[in-house]
Amino acid sequence: MAQLLTINSLSIDGYQSQQWTRIVDDVSLVLHRGEVLGLIGESGAGKSTIGKAALGYIPSGCRISGGSIVFDGLELTRASYQQLRHLRGVRIAFVAQSAATSFNPAHTVMRQLTDVPVHHGVMSHSEAMQKAVALFRALDLPNPERFGARYPHQVSGGQLQRAMVAMAMMSDPDIIVFDEPTTALDVTTQIEVLAAVKNAIKLHGTAAIYITHDLAVASQICDRLMVLRHGCKVEEGPTRQLIDHPQKEYTKELLRANKHISSDILDPDSKNTVLDIRNISASYGSHRVLDNVSIKVSKGETVAIVGESGSGKSTLARVITGLLPQDEGSVALNGVAMNPSYARRPQNMLKRVQMIYQMPDVALNPRQKVKDIIGRSVEFFTDLTGYKKRDRVLELLEKIRLDERYLDRFPSELSGGEKQRVCLARALAAEPEIIICDEITSALDQLVAKDILTLLQDLQREFGTSFLFITHDFAAVARISHLVVVMHHGKIVEQGPRNQVLTKPLHAYTKLLLSSVPEMCPDWLNSILRQREAIHTRQGNGAEKLEVSS
């Protein structure tokens, strides 16, 4: 195969804490036509920086300090702005991690897909619309002829991510850089996106760089894998060879982190119910999104809530915190009914239920330093000021295993795991009895996620804190939960002790979720797709249906 992209001895520096720091160190790679190269590693490994460099893009505050990037004979490090502008979106495309923040909410999906090819003169507007519909159909999006008329907020996360893949493929690029495209998706939606990506690459013979921290996902897509750490290449090789016979200890550590290992956890105080959710139903307008949901959370207990996007997990969190009043049912904290509106709840009740959100980049004010982010919560819930407030902030930083060096840092100067720790410290400032964790590890690599989960367990042992853990990550469920609740279309379809639900599920939908968790085997995705195709064929022939999805 012909070489399409060659990166030789690339070094990139970032300006941090008033000095230049090496973030990519002497990395070389070759990408051939029709090949998919996976970049693997934890947060801060330099994966996204290298992926963006393949587009000739260097983030603000960074500089190339050595090496070359050659795309189809063009040296990108010396290319003019006009040359790069004609390449991006046409011959080299990019698929970002978060489709929700990448689409303009004011424009339809169709307009955003057709803008680039029309602007670059690749095709006319009518041709672009036809191409978009064809891609919607190829990516198995619903009602492809009308899908483009929707606005981004009118489609699910998985559909929007597939629409972003379609956007990248509009001009039939030579290379697509995928930056964690399935990280925030539930397991069943992830399969749909992975299958769509794999089919699109195969159909058009596109080369790709696939950036991820999930080796199980990478093994389904990539021909070769490159493991990175602290900006350096650790190991590289064919996917199956690297997974079956890793040479470096760090690669072996990543492989172990990808395995779902149940941990020993302390038994909760089952006689002391902290949160009692009874027969909750809730709606958005006329659309019922929660239907007769009942859950009890004991002191020192972690209840994991799992299900696909749209199953009602985060909506339930909104009801508990008073952000969405319920239509029916009640929520009680230590036997005392909570007002459906947070604005009417007394402060001593507000502080006892805290929430940590999925995306710390959105949850943290980028213009505030860590000491102000945590300090504001300390002052609001405890009335501490001055040196006493500072001492409490330092105490909270110590609990989340950060030190005073972080006090004057802005969120942009923190890693993903450090940002999530700051969000945890802000919640702990209120000394809550229960913390709702909404997908808090979904955007983190396995090693950092493991550290966050270990931290939660340590805090639970020390303070007896209860957790309502909303997630689609079954590795996290196996590691941290006491009870597992499975939701589907706003209803609870199964709940029970962790080991029972994970090893002997009773409901067909639970079995579907568990079967959708990627395995560390390059043949897994094709096997799952064949199984589901066989099921659909039997259903089409009149065989009995399992009502597990919409």
Side-chain angles (χ1 to χ4, degrees):
M1 293 184 291
Q3 293 185 4
L4 188 60
L5 177 73
T6 304
I7 296 178
N8 285 316
S9 303
L10 179 66
S11 293
I12 299 175
D13 297 334
Y15 195 70
Q16 300 173 345
S17 302
Q18 297 184 329
Q19 63 180 355
W20 289 101
T21 305
R22 185 62 50 88
I23 55 178
V24 173
D25 191 3
D26 194 29
V27 171
S28 299
L29 63 85
V30 174
L31 184 66
H32 300 87
R33 291 188 182 276
E35 181 183 43
V36 182
L37 172 65
L39 300 184
I40 311 297
E42 56 190 305
S43 299
K47 307 184 300 294
S48 295
T49 304
I50 294 171
K52 291 173 181 176
L55 286 82
Y57 174 78
I58 304 300
S60 175
C62 296
R63 68 182 184 187
I64 293 178
S65 53
S68 66
I69 307 165
V70 181
F71 167 71
D72 199 20
L74 176 65
E75 172 57 70
L76 299 187
T77 61
R78 295 194 296 267
S80 68
Y81 173 75
Q82 288 299 326
Q83 285 176 309
L84 292 174
R85 197 158 181 262
H86 285 300
L87 283 179
R88 294 172 185 161
V90 180
R91 297 197 63 193
I92 307 177
F94 185 77
V95 176
Q97 177 176 349
S98 175
T101 58
S102 300
F103 277 85
N104 188 328
H107 299 300
T108 64
V109 171
M110 178 63 78
R111 175 174 175 179
Q112 296 180 69
L113 259 71
T114 56
D115 270 352
V116 171
V118 172
H119 176 77
H120 284 281
V122 175
M123 59 188 77
S124 67
H125 187 262
S126 60
E127 290 172 334
M129 291 184 67
Q130 292 175 7
K131 179 69 176 288
V133 170
L135 285 169
F136 292 154
R137 187 175 293 108
L139 294 171
D140 199 25
L141 286 163
N143 198 355
E145 286 75 16
R146 297 184 57 83
F147 181 83
R150 301 182 186 182
Y151 287 86
H153 70 275
Q154 295 176 314
V155 301
S156 71
Q159 291 170 353
L160 200 58
Q161 201 71 342
R162 277 179 281 170
M164 181 171 276
V165 174
M167 182 187 293
M169 301 206 66
M170 280 293 292
S171 300
D172 292 328
D174 296 296
I175 297 176
I176 300 179
V177 178
F178 295 94
D179 191 1
E180 303 273 13
T182 65
T183 294
L185 303 178
D186 62 72
V187 288
T188 53
T189 305
Q190 179 175 251
I191 285 183
E192 296 172 0
V193 174
L194 286 175
V197 168
K198 193 167 186 175
N199 290 337
I201 290 171
K202 182 178 179 180
L203 180 65
H204 296 276
T206 305
I209 294 175
Y210 197 94
I211 298 165
T212 182
H213 58 250
D214 193 329
L215 268 166
V217 168
S219 68
Q220 312 309 314
I221 295 291
C222 304
D223 302 301
R224 287 187 300 120
L225 297 176
M226 178 184 289
V227 180
L228 297 160
R229 188 184 193 191
H230 303 323
C232 300
K233 180 165 70 174
V234 175
E235 187 171 356
E236 182 182 6
T239 299
R240 192 180 293 275
Q241 174 186 311
L242 191 140
I243 289 175
D244 293 341
H245 305 288
Q247 300 300 307
K248 303 296 184 179
E249 183 57 36
Y250 178 68
T251 307
K252 296 175 183 177
E253 186 180 356
L254 285 179
L255 287 165
R256 287 192 294 268
N258 272 264
K259 294 180 180 178
H260 298 180
I261 302 172
S262 297
S263 62
D264 295 326
I265 48 181
L266 295 177
D267 292 331
D269 182 1
S270 57
K271 295 181 181 179
N272 187 347
T273 299
V274 175
L275 188 69
D276 190 358
I277 303 164
R278 291 192 182 184
N279 309 116
I280 286 292
S281 295
S283 305
Y284 290 128
S286 60
H287 178 59
R288 177 65 60 92
V289 288
L290 290 178
D291 189 359
N292 197 30
V293 172
S294 296
I295 301 171
K296 286 187 178 182
V297 184
S298 300
K299 182 177 178 60
E301 183 177 35
T302 299
V303 176
I305 303 180
V306 299
E308 295 173 281
S309 298
S311 61
K313 307 185 301 295
S314 295
T315 301
L316 179 60
R318 289 173 60 81
V319 170
I320 295 168
T321 53
L323 296 173
L324 176 68
Q326 65 263 29
D327 299 331
E328 301 171 7
S330 64
V331 180
L333 184 67
N334 292 320
V336 179
M338 304 173 73
N339 193 290
S341 172
Y342 80 93
R344 297 180 180 177
R345 294 178 183 177
Q347 183 171 329
N348 68 335
M349 183 170 280
L350 285 175
K351 66 180 292 185
R352 288 151 66 191
V353 180
Q354 292 293 301
M355 186 163 175
I356 305 174
Y357 296 91
Q358 177 177 355
M359 301 298 291
D361 287 320
V362 178
L364 298 177
N365 188 329
R367 297 180 179 178
Q368 288 187 345
K369 295 180 178 180
V370 168
K371 64 182 179 183
D372 301 315
I373 292 170
I374 302 175
R376 186 171 184 271
S377 185
V378 169
E379 188 170 342
F380 181 80
F381 287 114
T382 66
D383 294 328
L384 294 176
T385 58
Y387 288 111
K388 290 183 178 180
K389 182 175 79 170
R390 179 185 170 85
D391 289 343
R392 177 58 176 158
V393 172
L394 285 171
E395 182 184 338
L396 289 167
L397 281 179
E398 183 180 350
K399 291 187 184 301
I400 61 169
R401 298 171 193 160
L402 298 178
D403 55 45
E404 63 179 342
R405 292 177 299 172
Y406 288 84
L407 284 174
D408 290 313
R409 293 188 186 181
F410 290 97
S412 60
E413 299 175 295
L414 306 177
S415 70
E418 289 167 347
K419 292 174 189 175
Q420 205 60 285
R421 287 171 187 261
V422 172
C423 289
L424 176 58
R426 180 171 60 183
L428 290 173
E431 300 178 355
E433 293 182 56
I434 183 164
I435 298 177
I436 302 171
C437 303
D438 191 2
E439 302 276 16
I440 65 170
T441 60
S442 66
L444 305 178
D445 63 74
Q446 275 83 356
L447 294 177
V448 175
K450 180 182 176 182
D451 289 342
I452 293 292
L453 295 177
T454 300
L455 179 57
L456 293 181
Q457 289 177 303
D458 290 345
L459 292 170
Q460 191 170 64
R461 293 188 188 98
E462 184 176 355
F463 301 109
T465 310
S466 303
F467 293 103
L468 199 62
F469 198 83
I470 298 169
T471 186
H472 60 256
D473 183 353
F474 279 90
V477 173
R479 189 177 295 276
I480 199 174
S481 66
H482 297 90
L483 185 76
V484 179
V485 176
V486 183
M487 293 189 67
H488 184 53
H489 292 334
K491 298 180 179 180
I492 294 177
V493 297
E494 184 168 356
Q495 65 175 301
R498 173 190 64 183
N499 291 336
Q500 175 187 310
V501 174
L502 295 185
T503 60
K504 296 179 181 178
L506 300 176
H507 197 276
Y509 178 67
T510 310
K511 295 176 183 177
L512 173 67
L513 289 179
L514 291 170
S515 71
S516 301
V517 179
E519 297 177 6
M520 203 84 64
C521 172
D523 301 321
W524 174 83
L525 181 60
N526 289 333
S527 175
I528 287 295
L529 294 175
R530 284 195 297 270
Q531 291 176 26
R532 294 190 179 179
E533 185 178 353
I535 291 172
H536 291 322
T537 300
R538 289 198 301 271
Q539 290 177 352
N541 292 333
E544 182 180 358
K545 283 190 177 184
L546 292 176
E547 295 296 336
V548 294
S549 61
S550 59

